[in-house]
Amino acid sequence: MEVISTENLTAEFVLLGFYDFPELHFLFFIVFTVVYASIVIGNMLIIVAVVSSQRLHTPMYFFLANLSFLEILYTSTVVPKMLEGFLKEATISVTGCLLQFFIFGSLATTECFLLAVMAYDRYLAICHPLRYPLLMGPTWCLGLVVISWMSGFMVDGLVVILMSQLRFCGPNLIDHFYCDFMPLVELACSDPRVAQMTTFILSVVCLTLPFGLILTSYVRILVAVLRVPAGASRRKAFSTCSSHLAVVSTFYGTLMVLYIAPSAVHSQLLSKVFALLYTVVTPIFNPVIYTLRNKEVHQALWKILYIKKMETLN
């Protein structure tokens, strides 16, 4: 067995990011700074609207506020380091890299479960409206959210424990804009097969089980809605679900391609583009779709603005 000297171990990594397009780095910095600010502000507005409006103290908006909070943390784990890479060489310690991967991966896994919970909530609201207040009571809502958050951090905690056993002693260039699993494992000097197999199995479980619940919920919703005569009730049901479906499609679609069928992505550049979809595009979908298409959130935000305006005038 080869013995690796501690003197040769890698101390820090360099995140190459989008090094292929150095002439566009300043433009990328401006664009993604605006997008990042929009994600934070938009999701914060949703949280403020839900917390401040009594009308929005329902399970659906409770889950939405949790999703918004998650999106802020999610992008804040990755985007600032990506923006740094557009201005100068972005370096990160091995410990910092594993920590970034742990937080980002945990939040991504949590989002999988949280989106499934939101689909289940819509199923109960549409298919069992009379029993809905009992089936989705405050205690059960809180329990589902706690389980979602704990599941994410427990699953990815196991992966990071395995990754922390790896030794990095060769090249320290990560061909990505954040510490993702595959680019990081490729730099390991020790055998990564246990970590790779464990991550693959957990990825399949944590993607397919929540996705299966989402699919089952929406099949049942579709069957129930199609039994209702065409009209306002059917349109309202579809409108309620369409926002959630748009977020689910983008998020799950890209994650499944990258983590369950990575051979479908034939270049590292394409992998980065797919990664941008679930690190930047999906988080901005949340405030845009839910805010622009939701009258109750609109009214709550306008009410907050009106109260602030009156307080300023007085």
Side-chain angles (χ1 to χ4, degrees), residues 87-264:
L87 299 179
K88 62 177 184 177
E89 184 178 82
T91 60
I92 186 169
S93 67
V94 174
T95 302
C97 197
L98 291 175
L99 181 62
Q100 186 192 56
F101 173 79
F102 169 62
I103 296 174
F104 181 76
S106 299
L107 293 172
T109 306
T110 299
E111 183 157 355
C112 290
F113 287 104
L114 197 54
L115 289 173
V117 167
M118 294 174 76
Y120 177 64
D121 171 70
R122 291 299 83 209
Y123 157 70
L124 292 179
I126 293 172
C127 298
H128 303 282
L130 297 180
R131 298 173 59 201
Y132 176 72
L134 178 64
L135 294 173
M136 195 56 77
T139 304
W140 183 233
C141 284
L142 182 60
L144 288 173
V145 167
V146 170
I147 290 171
S148 297
W149 283 90
M150 287 183 63
S151 299
F153 282 88
M154 288 174 63
V155 167
D156 283 86
L158 175 59
V159 174
V160 170
I161 288 172
L162 292 174
M163 290 181 67
S164 66
Q165 306 304 311
L166 300 177
R167 294 294 177 264
F168 303 94
C169 57
N172 68 334
L173 303 178
I174 297 179
D175 191 8
H176 215 307
F177 57 87
Y178 72 97
C179 294
D180 201 7
F181 180 77
M182 287 307 297
L184 191 57
V185 165
E186 288 172 358
L187 300 179
C189 299
S190 50
D191 189 354
R193 283 179 293 182
V194 174
Q196 287 176 316
M197 183 56 66
T198 304
T199 302
F200 174 76
I201 293 171
L202 291 175
S203 296
V204 171
V205 171
C206 293
L207 284 172
T208 56
L209 283 184
F211 187 72
L213 178 58
I214 292 172
L215 201 59
T216 303
S217 297
Y218 276 110
V219 167
R220 294 192 175 188
I221 287 171
L222 182 62
V223 171
V225 170
L226 291 178
R227 289 175 181 169
V228 177
S233 297
R234 181 183 288 189
R235 285 195 300 272
K236 183 179 179 181
F238 279 126
S239 177
T240 302
C241 299
S242 60
S243 301
H244 182 254
L245 275 173
V247 175
V248 166
S249 301
T250 306
F251 183 76
Y252 270 95
T254 52
L255 280 182
M256 285 184 172
V257 170
L258 286 175
Y259 291 101
I260 293 183
S263 58

